[in-house]
Amino acid sequence: MKTFAIILFLFIICAKTNAQENEIDPIKIIINLVEEFAASNEDENSEIDLEQIYDQFADLLTNPVDLNTATRADLEQLYILSDFQISSLLEYIKNSGKLLSKYELALIHGFDDMLAESLYPFVTVESDSEYSVKSDTANFKTMISRGRHQIIARAKQLVEKQAGYKDDAETKFQGSPLSLYARYTYQYADRLKWNITTEKDAGEKYLDFISGYVQYNSKKFLKRLIVGDFQAQFGQGLVLWNGFGLNKSVSGTIVRKRARGVYGYSSTDENKYFRGAATSMGFDKFNISIFASHKNRDATIADSANTIFKTLQTTGLHRTHSEIDNKNSVSETAFGANINYEHKNLRAGISGMWHKFGADYVRDLQPYNMFELNKSANFNYSADVQWMWKRMILFAETAFDSNRKNASLVGATFGLEQNVQLSLLYRNYARDYQSLYAQGFSDGTKTQNEEGFFINATFSPLRNMTFSGYFDIFAFPWLRYRANAPSEGYSYAFRIDFALSDKLKMYVNVKQKNNKENYTPEDAHIAQTVEKSKFHVNYNINYTLFGKLMMQNRIEYATSKRSNELREKGIMIFQDIAYHFTSFPLNVSLRYAYFDTDSWNTCIYAYENDMLYAYSVPAYYMKGQRFYLNLRYSLTKRINLWLKASQTIYKNRESIGSGTTKIDGNKQTEVKAQIIVKL
């Protein structure tokens, strides 16, 4: 019966398979996926590095996941698959045999045509002829001579002159306003890869940041070896997690973190990486990852002998004399390891990390930060476990620092049915738990001083309709920045997605957050900790006209209220238009946005269509309008060109920004260009 169904299905689609392949634009799919992740995190705590997502899915274009041999861990790296969908796919292959084609995905319980189409460029099966060549037995000469080269070059600049570039500026930028980015990558299948990334920020004098690595992968005992710059993700992030990671979202796929182990670093964040060597080894049911790192970091030095520093600088900017003086002013040495055991439905691991600065770390202590890291060395270790039973996954991690202070979390995901999915998570991080590289699930930006319970649910009563949402209640046992007392709060969000067809999709998204914040009344001299509430609601619609003309509209309304102050309000409306020419290799997208908010408290974030490996999520605040034009031209199959111009015009403002970034006038214009060459 299964064979008959597959034959019938393939017969129906065979006439349009070639057209389908031609219509699928993998670059557009990657950009759409990044937009979804950005939309999940459009808030003031957004620190996610979306460049890592670009890089990972771009890798999958040349090294797609073989669905017939993929493990759960392999499928987890696709991100967009929920635990229920991964379990459903694995069960289907186990019970019915190997897939005959990747187009069979749409037949599997929990999948639909839209999800399957978004996966096609990144997956394969053994029968797909274009991926029939095996790389497992390739020798070294083949790996270094038959791979693929990619070169990316990007430049951008603000048109208006900022105060730091003027000759009479007290603090003058030492370089030009031109930002430059270049990257070269060589890759042979999934076996060998090396990368070099360079960047010059606006105002810097030279190509200020240079990063690179060589990575070798194998299916033998030595699974992976990296020399150069790399990142690491272990457990649920309570000891070590750098790179991409989301916290709260209406999407249920991100509650349980999906660790990648050690992997090469190719982004431009000048802080969240290690430099040295890392390896991953596997035998029987064990996998062991070990790394060693030594690099210099930016810091504010407190004495002339460079023996004490007060703060770590994380902007990565070296434009002025003081910023240049802080560059690479303190060394950091780090060692880490993870041992992971996997057998049937059980996955368990232990992780440890030690790091030490080359100078004494002595903060300017304030009541709110008195329990944060304030010493030159620290050690963290943890144990994590994950157990799968049918369509339920239980997971937990508990961690300790060198002072034996604890951070723990426990959670579960349930695939109750195709149309009902549920996630639960409880976390408890001691006020004095210290880990420089932790990124556990939290309301704030630190894995410290927080206790909370999070619940997420997704429900699809109809094939074309989905309800999703979360509720999170949290408490902070100690003071926080801008909160001079222990406090608590809650947040919630829910979203309704409706797809009338593949050409008409819409959603409504509502979110609110209530917490405590300092407030000093006009007739008082001491700050009080009072209730603060922020509310957002937006309606978004995407529709396709005339085949290649795509439109998107959004209207978003925001309010903010603190204590007995008047409620502040804000609104943003935008219109997107995108067109893909059929007889000419050009993609055009543009946006016009109008916004009117009372202050920064009601600012609104919205992801912008950008070029590959770049992203923009600007904050709309005060009153004005913004528009951009984004062009992508395929000069050949191997050469793609991008050009983007954007401008924000504020009303009733005579200047934009402050200090060295101040612009005289009410306009801010940016021009950006990029070329990608594949050889």
Side-chain angles (χ1 to χ4, degrees):
M1 186 68 184
K2 180 227 175 188
T3 303
F4 175 76
I6 293 174
I7 293 174
L8 179 62
F9 174 74
L10 294 177
F11 176 77
I12 293 173
I13 67 169
C14 68
K16 52 180 192 173
T17 295
N18 292 333
Q20 197 176 45
E21 288 284 4
N22 292 334
E23 289 176 6
I24 293 176
D25 182 353
I27 293 178
K28 181 62 177 175
I29 291 177
I30 294 174
I31 291 174
N32 287 342
L33 291 173
V34 172
E35 181 176 0
E36 284 296 313
F37 287 120
S40 299
N41 215 48
E42 292 172 352
D43 59 37
E44 66 273 16
N45 292 327
S46 178
E47 292 187 349
I48 58 175
D49 185 1
L50 295 173
E51 199 172 337
Q52 294 288 317
I53 293 296
Y54 276 127
D55 196 46
Q56 190 163 346
F57 277 98
D59 274 352
L60 290 171
L61 285 178
T62 53
N63 303 292
V65 174
D66 188 336
L67 297 175
N68 285 329
T69 59
T71 63
R72 177 177 289 273
D74 294 330
L75 296 173
E76 285 177 351
Q77 300 313 311
L78 291 169
Y79 285 116
I80 55 178
L81 290 180
S82 68
D83 289 331
F84 171 84
Q85 290 160 342
I86 292 174
S87 297
S88 183
L89 173 58
L90 293 174
E91 288 176 14
Y92 181 87
I93 295 174
K94 179 180 179 181
N95 297 330
S96 303
K98 292 184 177 181
L99 302 178
L100 301 182
S101 169
K102 60 187 176 183
Y103 300 109
E104 197 178 336
L105 273 175
L107 295 174
I108 299 174
H109 187 52
F111 290 74
D112 55 30
D113 292 339
M114 291 171 52
L115 176 61
E117 287 181 7
S118 67
L119 288 171
Y120 289 154
F122 314 113
V123 299
T124 185
V125 300
E126 291 179 351
S127 60
D128 290 343
S129 58
E130 64 265 41
Y131 300 113
S132 59
V133 178
K134 298 290 185 180
S135 64
D136 299 349
T137 58
N139 57 36
F140 181 72
K141 182 178 179 180
T142 299
M143 288 191 288
I144 63 172
S145 61
R146 297 188 180 180
R148 300 181 181 182
H149 305 263
Q150 178 175 270
I151 300 171
I152 306 172
R154 182 167 64 238
K156 66 177 180 179
Q157 182 172 328
L158 284 177
V159 175
E160 294 80 13
K161 181 176 285 189
Q162 295 177 315
Y165 298 104
K166 296 180 179 180
D167 293 334
D168 58 350
E170 288 187 21
T171 305
K172 184 176 173 58
F173 293 153
Q174 299 302 297
S176 73
L178 183 65
S179 296
L180 297 173
Y181 167 89
R183 176 178 168 184
Y184 164 71
T185 304
Y186 175 87
Q187 186 165 7
Y188 176 79
D190 58 350
R191 298 291 307 282
L192 181 67
K193 182 178 182 180
W194 62 72
N195 180 91
I196 299 174
T197 302
T198 63
E199 184 193 44
K200 170 195 174 299
D201 291 309
E204 294 178 340
K205 198 169 184 178
Y206 309 107
L207 282 172
D208 180 78
F209 177 67
I210 301 177
S211 173
Y213 69 88
V214 177
Q215 178 173 310
Y216 169 78
N217 299 323
S218 171
K219 294 182 180 179
K220 299 179 181 179
F221 170 74
L222 182 64
K223 300 292 185 184
R224 179 168 294 172
L225 176 64
I226 306 170
V227 177
D229 295 344
F230 60 91
Q231 292 186 312
Q233 298 175 348
F234 300 139
Q236 291 299 307
L238 301 190
V239 166
L240 174 57
W241 191 284
N242 45 26
F244 175 77
L246 288 173
N247 277 332
K248 299 185 211 180
S249 169
V250 292
S251 171
T253 63
I254 53 83
V255 175
R256 179 180 62 86
K257 288 184 180 293
R258 301 172 176 183
R260 295 179 62 190
V262 293
Y263 57 97
Y265 179 70
S266 55
S267 188
T268 54
D269 188 301
E270 300 184 24
N271 299 281
K272 298 178 181 178
Y273 70 95
F274 298 105
R275 176 165 289 174
T279 185
S280 180
M281 300 164 286
F283 59 93
D284 196 15
K285 300 177 179 64
F286 289 89
N287 189 83
I288 302 173
S289 296
I290 303 171
F291 71 83
S293 168
H294 181 82
K295 66 173 185 176
N296 293 324
R297 298 194 58 168
D298 297 355
T300 304
I301 299 298
D303 66 331
S304 57
N306 282 16
T307 59
I308 299 174
F309 70 98
K310 297 191 296 183
T311 58
L312 290 169
Q313 300 293 334
T314 59
T315 64
L317 298 175
H318 309 107
R319 305 162 302 178
T320 65
H321 286 302
S322 61
E323 290 174 346
I324 294 172
D325 290 342
N326 292 334
K327 181 181 178 182
N328 296 334
S329 55
V330 61
S331 64
E332 180 191 45
T333 303
F335 297 95
N338 171 265
I339 301 176
N340 201 62
Y341 171 83
E342 187 168 354
H343 178 63
K344 294 183 178 179
N345 295 331
L346 176 67
R347 187 187 300 173
I350 56 175
S351 304
M353 178 184 170
W354 174 87
H355 73 91
K356 179 179 175 59
F357 296 113
D360 292 331
Y361 191 4
V362 182
R363 287 180 180 269
D364 287 333
L365 289 179
Q366 303 293 330
Y368 76 88
N369 70 4
M370 65 181 298
F371 293 111
E372 294 182 15
L373 185 66
N374 192 37
K375 55 185 179 181
S376 61
N378 191 41
F379 177 69
N380 298 87
Y381 55 96
S382 75
D384 66 274
V385 64
Q386 177 178 297
W387 180 65
M388 292 157 282
W389 181 70
K390 295 185 178 179
R391 292 172 180 172
M392 176 183 71
I393 299 180
L394 302 177
F395 59 94
E397 182 175 17
T398 187
F400 296 87
D401 63 15
S402 52
N403 295 322
R404 297 185 180 180
K405 304 303 180 182
N406 173 253
S408 298
L409 65 76
V410 59
T413 64
F414 304 88
L416 304 180
E417 251 308 325
Q418 174 182 356
N419 59 343
V420 181
Q421 298 177 56
L422 181 68
S423 301
L424 307 171
L425 185 142
Y426 169 78
R427 74 270 190 192
N428 192 339
Y429 309 145
R431 66 179 184 178
D432 42 5
Y433 176 71
Q434 300 173 352
S435 179
L436 188 64
Y437 287 97
Q439 194 183 142
F441 187 99
S442 65
D443 175 75
T445 59
K446 294 184 174 68
T447 308
Q448 180 186 46
N449 186 37
E450 182 173 328
E451 181 179 10
F453 178 77
F454 177 88
I455 180 170
N456 170 281
T458 301
F459 173 55
S460 300
L462 301 172
R463 185 176 179 83
N464 58 355
M465 180 179 290
T466 301
F467 294 86
S468 54
Y470 70 77
F471 180 80
D472 187 41
I473 184 169
F474 46 85
F476 307 102
W478 185 246
L479 285 59
R480 296 178 299 122
Y481 178 65
R482 299 182 67 182
N484 291 343
S487 58
E488 66 284 326
Y490 68 88
S491 64
Y492 68 82
F494 66 86
R495 173 168 160 164
I496 304 173
D497 286 84
F498 181 74
L500 189 62
S501 69
D502 59 348
K503 295 185 178 181
L504 177 59
K505 306 170 190 176
M506 63 186 76
Y507 67 80
V508 176
N509 191 53
V510 177
K511 60 182 178 181
Q512 178 164 338
K513 181 175 181 178
N514 285 50
N515 60 357
K516 300 291 182 66
E517 187 177 283
N518 289 344
Y519 170 66
T520 305
E522 293 183 1
D523 57 348
H525 301 285
I526 300 176
Q528 306 172 6
T529 304
V530 299
E531 188 86 11
K532 181 179 181 181
S533 174
K534 297 186 71 173
F535 174 81
H536 286 254
V537 58
N538 69 65
Y539 169 74
N540 195 94
I541 181 170
N542 296 67
Y543 48 97
T544 302
L545 300 174
F546 315 121
K548 298 295 183 179
L549 179 62
M550 290 163 283
M551 314 281 278
Q552 180 181 6
N553 302 83
R554 179 189 292 187
I555 178 170
E556 183 159 348
Y557 176 72
T559 68
S560 177
K561 191 176 188 310
R562 184 176 59 183
S563 185
N564 58 354
E565 292 182 325
L566 293 176
R567 185 176 298 275
E568 298 183 32
K569 301 175 183 178
I571 190 170
M572 186 272 293
I573 303 171
F574 73 64
Q575 169 71 63
D576 282 359
I577 301 174
Y579 187 77
H580 174 60
F581 291 88
T582 54
S583 58
F584 194 63
L586 178 67
N587 286 46
V588 180
S589 60
L590 57 91
R591 169 179 295 178
Y592 173 79
Y594 170 83
F595 55 93
D596 186 356
T597 75
D598 290 338
S599 73
W600 178 261
N601 293 326
T602 50
C603 70
I604 296 172
Y605 293 84
Y607 176 86
E608 288 186 350
N609 201 325
D610 214 306
M611 43 194 67
L612 192 63
Y613 295 102
Y615 61 94
S616 176
V617 190
Y620 295 85
Y621 69 100
M622 303 305 287
K623 186 174 183 178
Q625 54 188 334
R626 177 175 173 83
F627 55 87
Y628 70 79
L629 173 65
N630 192 21
L631 306 175
R632 172 162 68 95
Y633 177 70
S634 298
L635 188 63
T636 69
K637 289 184 177 181
R638 298 180 180 273
I639 302 176
N640 280 273
L641 306 174
W642 275 266
L643 179 65
K644 181 179 180 181
S646 60
Q647 184 177 71
T648 305
I649 303 174
Y650 294 92
K651 294 185 178 180
N652 303 323
R653 296 188 66 179
E654 297 180 354
S655 64
I656 303 171
S658 61
T660 54
T661 61
K662 181 181 177 182
I663 296 173
D664 293 327
N666 67 336
K667 295 180 181 179
Q668 182 169 302
T669 309
E670 183 181 72
V671 178
K672 185 188 302 185
Q674 176 173 281
I675 181 172
I676 296 182
V677 180
K678 295 183 179 181
L679 303 173

